[in-house]
Amino acid sequence: MRAVVYSEKGPSSVLRVEDRPIPEPAPGEARVKLVRVGVNPTDWKARSGATSAMEFPEVVPGQDGAGVVDAVGSGVTEVAAGDQVWLYLAQHGRPYGTAAEYVVVPAARAVRLPSTVSETDAFDLGACLGVPAVTAHRALTSGEVPRLGPGTLSGSTVLVQGGAGAVGNAAIQLAVWSGATVISTVSSPEKGALATAAGAHHVVDYRASDAAAGIRALAPNGVDLIVEVAPAVNAALDHAVAANGATIAFYANNGGDRLSLEVRAAFALNLRYQGLLLYTLAPELLEAAVEDVTAAVAVGAVRVGEQSGLPLHHYPLEQTAAAHDAVEQGAVGKVLIDVA
Ligand SMILES: NC(=O)c1ccc[n+]([C@@H]2O[C@H](COP(=O)([O-])OP(=O)(O)OC[C@H]3O[C@@H](n4cnc5c(N)ncnc54)[C@H](OP(=O)(O)O)[C@@H]3O)[C@@H](O)[C@H]2O)c1
């Protein structure tokens, strides 16, 4: 099979396309013939050496993807050959991820795509889910509500910081599906149009000097939950718009690594800061996310493409290095690799 591999950390030029044997699934594992791969910031960060040292002699990058199960190991009941699936954490704790013609994963990490998803976009959609949608799910369930679904967030106002991002897009769609009023911040009218297409009820430019006033005007009692991509630089804004008892769920360090907190103001507001990292999330949180995200997909509440605020950018497998570079350079929307 063709596989994109690297054997040392570094710039995208360390990626090579090589021939490798098709892997065999061990007990409890499923083998998936990939159609589409979703590229996430974590892929280039891990490859560059920014977030981890080389854990295996050779790595195929890629946590996310979608394809068709073509073989399963003994004891697998979750999926069967022929199932169309979306993958999550495919390369977590393992050397070989999704940037290849086949990948073997623990069967629980291959999730059947609902039959209601249209055949034409099933694999595009499936490849966009893993990292962004599971992250968004955990962020949205960091407050008082442990599960998402119709009505679970009714009466809540959710602020999604950076709603034109991949995680932000998933957060908007999942929050809208769950009945929240959603405000999204963005940095340009074009990104505002994407957040609106995702379903955000209101859009505010976070760079405007009166961003907090703009959000307060939309939510006079404050927002109940903030999905935060840039906690350090947005701390003052978050505090200015948080309702009493609000949760700030932060999943990235965009914009800065050190957070300065007005301690008294924070505890006086009964604020909760909840961090999250997919790789260290409790298994039951991952399971809840996978179930709820799949349920949202089944009813068309999570979609991809520009009309849903997530423009897709396709690269052939041979150009995986360019796909990594595009994500690193801040491509707006979702970068996908076409395998088949
Ligand atoms: N903890 C985890 O498990 C986890 C999971 C997934 C992703 N992540 C991390 O989360 C980050 C985003 O991932 P992604 O795939 O969504 O990336 P993405 O598609 O590139 O989106 C990043 C978004 O962040 C926005 N942003 C940056 N600074 C902002 C600020 N000060 N205020 C509001 N928005 C701001 C950007 O908007 P503008 O361009 O308009 O500023 C952009 O829309 C990455 O750092 C990634 O590594 C972490």
Side-chain angles (χ1 to χ4, degrees), residues 162-245:
V167 177
N169 175 275
I172 292 172
Q173 296 197 61
L174 288 168
V176 169
W177 174 57
S178 302
T181 298
V182 179
I183 303 171
S184 172
T185 61
V186 292
S187 62
S188 69
E190 295 73 26
K191 289 185 174 181
L194 293 175
T196 301
H201 302 99
H202 309 284
V203 169
V204 172
D205 184 342
Y206 70 80
R207 292 183 179 165
S209 56
D210 59 351
I215 294 167
R216 274 280 172 191
L218 297 165
N221 297 325
V223 303
D224 304 294
L225 182 69
I226 302 176
V227 179
E228 184 54 88
V229 65
V233 285
N234 286 337
L237 175 58
D238 289 342
H239 282 211
V241 302
N244 186 19

Side-chain angles (χ1 to χ4, degrees), residues 66-80:
V68 180
V69 174
D70 87 323
V72 295
S74 61
V76 170
T77 53
E78 295 93 334
V79 289

Side-chain angles (χ1 to χ4, degrees), residues 99-124:
E101 287 180 296
Y102 295 86
V103 67
V104 163
V105 294
R109 295 187 200 168
V111 187
R112 223 178 266 126
L113 278 161
S115 56
T116 46
V117 177
S118 113
E119 296 231 338
T120 46
D121 61 16
F123 298 115
D124 282 351

Side-chain angles (χ1 to χ4, degrees), residues 88 280-289:
Y88 70 98
T280 49
L281 269 190
E284 58 271 23
L285 295 176
L286 288 173
E287 279 163 31

Side-chain angles (χ1 to χ4, degrees), residues 21-22 45 51 125 139 171 237 253 291 319 329:
I22 295 176
K45 289 178 184 177
T51 49
L125 173 56
L237 175 58
N253 56 352
E291 279 179 23
Q319 289 177 24
Q329 287 154 16

